[in-house]
Amino acid sequence: MIDAHCHLDENQTLIDLLKEHHISATINCQSIEEWQRNKLLTQNSPFLTLSAGIHPWDSDKVLFMDFLPILKETQIIGEIGMDRTWTNVPLDIQQDVFTRQLELASSLKKPVILHTKGQEEKIAKIIKDYPNTYLVHWYSCDSFFKYYLKLDCYFTIGPSLKYDTISQKIAKEIPLNRILFESDGLEALAWAHNLSYEKIDYLKLQEDSLRYLSDLKSISYDNLLNLLQNNYDNWLR
């Protein structure tokens, strides 16, 4: 099992599960404090990778120059992007912080995880000017998907797959060599499955979604797991 993008919970339930079951994962850090904490939590687990970036929701609070040392240290920059749906941060501020991080990532040849909510077309046009390897996180828009396909992006399937017809349509269209899988963290799992946080069974929900994905892609479950591992390894190169 691979979790290509997730956020850790404060009580460390997810990190304990990842370690116990040796699940390869990319763990997001969007503050200096989170980066420092997650570095300690993952230091003896080489199958866990950190990503770091100024999230669009934080782009009016986290200063680029303050975060720059972390952006230079991290292997993966993200999640970064723009959002017109879940935040009131002005879009001009979001775009300025986003493009500064894109420029750095492109110059340092560091792959990027994208957050595109409500700004799918805009972001697809922006990243054309910053050649790089991109992972589009939990894409759930019924438009502009082919823009990202043309840019040879990777895509994660989010935890809403079984309930969201748009996610199902996109999952069918993603090329086999560009598909990845994510939980986005325990809170996102609870939201996507309409469950209380206390009732989240991470392993069962992830396996159920993976089996659903294997049916959508007409590939056996075991072959899907091998495929996701190969794609994840290629994404991290």
Side-chain angles (χ1 to χ4, degrees), residues 160-170:
S160 61
L161 177 64
K162 293 178 67 175
Y163 315 104
D164 180 14
T165 56
I166 294 175
S167 294
Q168 293 162 14
K169 176 184 176 183
I170 290 170

Side-chain angles (χ1 to χ4, degrees), residues 110 119 163 198 228:
K110 295 188 176 190
Q119 287 292 96
Y163 315 104
E198 294 76 16
L228 292 173

Side-chain angles (χ1 to χ4, degrees), residues 29-186:
C29 308
Q30 60 191 69
S31 70
I32 295 172
E33 295 75 20
E34 195 172 29
W35 171 260
Q36 293 170 341
R37 181 176 66 251
N38 290 351
K39 275 185 69 177
L40 291 174
L41 289 171
T42 60
Q43 61 183 350
N44 297 316
S45 303
F47 53 94
L48 299 177
T49 304
L50 297 183
S51 65
I54 302 174
H55 195 285
W57 301 353
D58 302 326
S59 54
D60 61 342
K61 300 187 289 288
V62 179
L63 298 178
F64 177 81
M65 292 307 297
D66 289 345
F67 211 77
L68 182 58
I70 294 172
L71 294 172
K72 290 182 175 179
E73 183 179 352
T74 187
Q75 179 181 346
I76 300 169
I77 292 181
E79 66 186 278
I80 63 174
M82 298 174 66
D83 189 327
R84 195 178 57 192
T85 304
W86 300 110
T87 181
N88 293 321
V89 177
L91 288 172
D92 59 336
I93 294 176
Q94 292 188 46
Q95 183 170 337
D96 177 65
V97 174
F98 178 44
T99 54
R100 293 178 77 179
Q101 292 180 98
L102 287 177
E103 183 176 7
L104 179 70
S106 181
S107 67
L108 297 178
K109 295 182 172 56
K110 295 188 176 190
V112 169
I113 298 174
L114 292 173
H115 177 110
T116 61
K117 194 66 176 178
Q119 287 292 96
E120 290 83 4
E121 182 179 21
K122 180 73 171 179
I123 288 174
K125 291 178 178 179
I126 289 174
I127 64 175
K128 288 170 62 177
D129 294 330
Y130 301 93
N132 208 335
T133 302
Y134 290 100
L135 170 58
V136 186
H137 142 64
W138 196 349
Y139 197 84
S140 57
C141 174
D142 59 357
S143 303
F144 316 115
F145 175 68
K146 292 184 178 179
Y147 290 17
Y148 294 92
L149 279 180
K150 290 180 180 178
L151 294 170
D152 210 22
C153 295
Y154 288 85
F155 301 84
T156 55
I157 301 300
S160 61
L161 177 64
K162 293 178 67 175
Y163 315 104
D164 180 14
T165 56
I166 294 175
S167 294
Q168 293 162 14
K169 176 184 176 183
I170 290 170
K172 291 179 181 179
E173 295 183 15
I174 298 173
L176 285 175
N177 68 340
R178 284 294 180 267
I179 194 166
L180 288 166
F181 184 75
E182 69 161 280
S183 71
D184 203 25
L186 298 184

